Amino acid sequence: MFSLFKALSFTLFFLPFIAFVQVNQSDKDVNDKTLFTTPEVINVNLEVIESPEGFEVSPSFNGFIHYQASTAIIVSLIKKVNFRKLSEGMNQEFYKKNKLKYISEKKIVSKAGFKGIWYKFNFNLEGNTFGRYMVYAGDLNKTIWLTITYPLRLEDLIETEILKCIKSIDLSKIKE
């Protein structure tokens, strides 16, 4: 099960996100190329969210796992990009490429006041249907990225806990 979650999380880590910056006119005349910065995806301390009841810190990835529910929450920090820029990449092409069935999206504000957005998907893997939340929340310079994957058959049991976890995002607890 760990390798499944690892494979899924690594697939999503290599998304083509580019944040553009304004070019100085003299540079533009010389080079006429757009400058960009590459986002940096790193592990972050897990205190940035409250883990749902029954979840444990995972020994295989930066996040939490609920063994009985086969549910994983992967927690990452994306530096040098805000969540709104990331959300621009969430489109039909992305869904098709990653074999995700789009269900819904919702703007959020955490209890600590951090804005964000979550996307909800379903996907099939090896004959099983899974649900997934991809959550981006943060400020101008950094984004907390949660990838929450669970068996769809357990959605009615796990979804309330997942939504509480999403609501708990607090970037002020980042230790750098």
Side-chain angles (χ1 to χ4, degrees), residues 50 111 159-169:
E50 295 172 14
K111 292 185 293 186
E159 192 167 41
T160 300
E161 291 300 315
I162 288 170
L163 295 175
K164 279 192 234 177
C165 175
I166 292 169
K167 196 79 170 153
S168 75
I169 294 171

Side-chain angles (χ1 to χ4, degrees), residues 79-93:
K79 290 183 168 184
K80 303 179 187 175
V81 68
N82 63 68
F83 76 90
R84 293 194 183 185
K85 192 64 164 170
L86 289 170
S87 69
E88 291 174 7
M90 302 299 282
N91 54 39
Q92 290 299 324
E93 183 180 331

Side-chain angles (χ1 to χ4, degrees), residues 108-116 137-139 167-171:
I108 59 168
V109 178
S110 72
K111 292 185 293 186
F114 292 97
K115 294 181 180 180
D139 59 24
K167 196 79 170 153
S168 75
I169 294 171
D170 188 350
L171 273 74

Side-chain angles (χ1 to χ4, degrees), residues 8 18 20 23 25 42 51 57 62 69 72 81 85 95 106 109 118 130 149 168 175:
L8 293 173
I18 298 175
F20 292 94
V23 177
Q25 185 61 39
I42 60 172
S51 67
V57 173
N62 194 59
V81 68
K85 192 64 164 170
Y95 309 148
K106 183 178 180 181
V109 178
W118 59 249
F130 292 89
T149 305
S168 75
K175 297 174 186 166

Side-chain angles (χ1 to χ4, degrees), residues 3-171:
S3 61
L4 166 70
F5 289 116
K6 245 183 176 173
L8 293 173
S9 65
F10 283 120
T11 298
L12 294 172
F13 272 66
F14 297 104
L15 302 175
F17 297 119
I18 298 175
F20 292 94
V21 296
Q22 193 163 351
V23 177
N24 180 318
Q25 185 61 39
S26 62
D27 291 340
K28 189 170 180 139
D29 293 340
V30 172
N31 214 339
D32 201 29
K33 291 185 180 179
T34 305
L35 297 176
F36 66 91
T37 181
T38 304
E40 181 182 350
V41 179
I42 60 172
N43 288 341
V44 66
N45 55 300
L46 298 178
E47 293 88 30
V48 297
I49 62 170
E50 295 172 14
S51 67
E53 188 174 331
F55 281 71
E56 302 174 21
V57 173
S58 170
S60 301
F61 55 85
N62 194 59
F64 300 96
I65 190 162
H66 191 291
Y67 291 101
Q68 290 76 24
S70 299
T71 301
I73 302 171
I74 300 169
V75 184
S76 301
L77 175 65
I78 306 173
K79 290 183 168 184
K80 303 179 187 175
V81 68
N82 63 68
F83 76 90
R84 293 194 183 185
K85 192 64 164 170
L86 289 170
S87 69
E88 291 174 7
M90 302 299 282
N91 54 39
Q92 290 299 324
E93 183 180 331
F94 172 82
Y95 309 148
K96 185 177 179 180
K97 181 179 177 180
N98 290 284
K99 299 179 182 174
L100 297 169
K101 179 183 174 197
Y102 172 88
I103 304 298
S104 63
E105 66 187 71
K106 183 178 180 181
K107 291 181 180 180
I108 59 168
V109 178
S110 72
K111 292 185 293 186
F114 292 97
K115 294 181 180 180
I117 190 165
W118 59 249
Y119 296 87
K120 185 176 179 181
F121 306 98
N122 289 345
F123 65 96
N124 292 304
L125 185 65
E126 298 176 3
N128 296 305
T129 304
F130 292 89
R132 169 166 293 154
Y133 279 89
M134 289 182 60
V135 183
Y136 304 117
D139 59 24
L140 286 173
N141 302 308
K142 59 188 170 297
T143 298
I144 292 295
W145 174 19
L146 304 180
T147 303
I148 305 167
T149 305
Y150 57 94
L152 194 59
R153 62 185 169 75
L154 297 179
E155 184 172 59
D156 61 332
L157 296 175
I158 198 81
E159 192 167 41
T160 300
E161 291 300 315
I162 288 170
L163 295 175
K164 279 192 234 177
C165 175
I166 292 169
K167 196 79 170 153
S168 75
I169 294 171
D170 188 350
L171 273 74

